[in-house]
Structures are given as structure tokens and as C-alpha cells.
Amino acid sequence: MPKANALSDLPATSSAHLHQPDLEALRPPVSTHKPRILILYGSLRAVSYSRLLAHEASRLLEHFGCEVRIFDPEGLPLPDGAPVAHPKVQELRELSAWSEGQVWVSPERHGAMSGIMKAQIDWIPLAVGSVRPTQGKTLAVMQVSGGSQSFNAVNQMRILGRWMRMITIPNQSSVAKAFQEFDSDGRMKPSSFYDRVVDVCEELVKFTWLTRDASAYLTDRYSERREEAEKLERRVGLKSI
């Protein structure tokens, strides 16, 4: 029997925008600069375990060859409580744009991430014109709890990472009874919790190396190609009137 048209069973698609996976695009030349990682933490307390965990992650990431910056949320206004030109908002957005991967570390409060953590994420825009500042960046999520181990905050941050179109790595860290896990110098003690933090940082670095050069291709979508083509056709049509 003659071979049927490859698109005969896909009548709802536009063949001009339905591309086969390009293996060469998935394996572009590898950038050699250090992976750029931004860390956000979600507490302003004088003794903040999320901040201590953020600094512990920073040390590990630097050991794994990354360039790391930590954003201090002190002075960041509430979302929509100040203009976008506010210096702390601009600092956060510039760091987010600079980064190729991020780590979000939040305490769990009332069974959720902290408001300070959410405010930072809310100030990072999903889109600026045609640019999506977080799309294709890698993300690791961690939380600290005052009581028994929970995963409420990391689960919420995973949802936000997906909404921000980030590549959220499979591993995560949840440190229970965080007040027991740090010494008087603010360093994390050896434990299974610390081992998991090492795992998360190591995995984030691997995923960042793996995806950062191909992130534009990985996030190239059929629906958006088709939408952009339709917009172009409408603009051309208007010019011809």
C-alpha cells in the first residue's frame, strides 16, 4: 500500500510550523564561562536559616565552578507597592537577567513559602515585551522548617518555577528542625540533610551546563511559532490595504 502523508492524521496542525526535533540544535557548541547562579532566600530575620542555607549552597556552587550572587531582599518593596524603577526591584531584575540558573530557598510559614520569597518572585516579570527573562533558566528549590520535615514550600516554588517557564531540576532539599542543623558559626552540620543540599547543588550545575546553550531551542514552541506567523500575516495584510 502507498505510504500515507505524514500529516494526514494531524489535520489540526500547520505543517509549516510543525518541526522535527533537531539533534544538532540540542547539542550546540558549549560555552566555557562559569555557570551564573542567582540565589534568593525568603527571610529578613537576624538569624535566618533560609539565609544560612543560601550561603551554604553558595559555597558548594562556587566549589563546583559557578559564579554565584545572592540577592538581599532587605528593602525590597511589596509587589506593586513601588514603581519598577525602584533600586531594589532593578537590582533583582538585573540579577535575574544575568543568571543562567537560580536557587530559591524559603522558610515554611503557615504551610507555605514566606511572603518575602513570593514577593521576590512576583517582582521578576514573566515577560518584558517579547522577552521572557526566566524562560529556559535552571532552578533548584530548597526550604527550611522549624518542625518536622515538610515539602509544602518546595512544592509551591516548583509550581512557580513552571509558571516562570524555568527548568526545575528533579532534586530538592527540605531541612527539618533547621535550628538543630546549623552550628554557632552559622555553618550547616554534617547530616543527611546536608548531603541532600550537596546533591541539589551538584545536580543544578549539571543541568545548567547541559541546557544553557540550548535553552532557546528547548523553549521554542509550535504554538508560538504559529501565533507569530499569524501576527505577521495580519500586519502585512493591514499594510496592503
Side-chain angles (χ1 to χ4, degrees), residues 37 48 58 65 81 94 138-139 191 225:
I37 306 297
S48 165
S58 175
E94 288 169 6
T138 53
L139 172 66
S191 68
R225 293 194 297 270

Side-chain angles (χ1 to χ4, degrees), residues 7-14 226:
L7 294 175
S8 61
D9 291 333
L10 302 172
T13 61
S14 169
R226 183 167 182 170

Side-chain angles (χ1 to χ4, degrees), residues 152-220:
N152 291 322
V154 287
N155 287 340
Q156 287 184 325
M157 289 188 286
R158 281 189 174 280
I159 292 172
L160 287 172
R162 176 170 60 94
W163 192 256
M164 302 294 282
R165 302 190 176 199
M166 302 178 80
I167 302 169
T168 308
I169 67 170
N171 219 333
Q172 61 187 24
S173 169
S174 174
V175 180
K177 297 182 180 179
F179 60 91
Q180 296 180 348
E181 299 302 321
F182 293 85
D183 63 23
S184 58
D185 295 323
R187 297 302 307 270
M188 198 169 181
K189 302 174 184 177
S191 68
S192 60
F193 290 127
Y194 179 77
D195 291 348
R196 179 57 69 88
V197 173
V198 177
D199 289 347
V200 170
C201 291
E202 183 180 49
E203 188 170 293
L204 177 66
V205 175
K206 291 176 182 177
F207 270 79
T208 304
W209 276 108
L210 182 66
T211 62
R212 67 177 180 178
D213 294 307
S215 63
Y217 179 70
L218 289 169
T219 54
D220 179 47

Side-chain angles (χ1 to χ4, degrees), residues 30-132:
V30 177
S31 297
T32 57
H33 66 272
K34 293 182 177 182
R36 300 191 294 262
I37 306 297
L38 169 64
I39 302 179
L40 308 180
Y41 62 88
S43 173
L44 298 178
R45 289 179 175 176
V47 179
S48 165
Y49 294 108
S50 64
R51 183 173 66 247
L52 293 178
L53 183 55
H55 282 280
E56 207 66 54
S58 175
R59 295 182 189 99
L60 287 163
L61 290 166
E62 287 176 348
H63 173 78
F64 290 133
C66 297
E67 182 180 356
V68 183
R69 298 183 187 178
I70 301 175
F71 176 72
D72 179 0
E74 180 74 43
L76 182 72
L78 288 173
D80 302 324
V84 172
H86 188 283
K88 289 297 290 188
V89 176
Q90 286 300 301
E91 179 188 355
L92 174 59
R93 291 189 171 195
E94 288 169 6
L95 284 172
S96 181
W98 165 85
S99 70
E100 296 169 325
Q102 297 186 16
V103 182
W104 296 350
V105 188
S106 179
E108 181 174 315
R109 292 186 180 169
H110 302 297
M113 79 182 78
S114 69
I116 293 166
M117 189 75 238
K118 183 61 163 58
Q120 293 174 82
I121 298 169
D122 284 348
W123 271 120
I124 300 173
L126 183 62
V128 178
S130 60
V131 177
R132 294 190 173 89

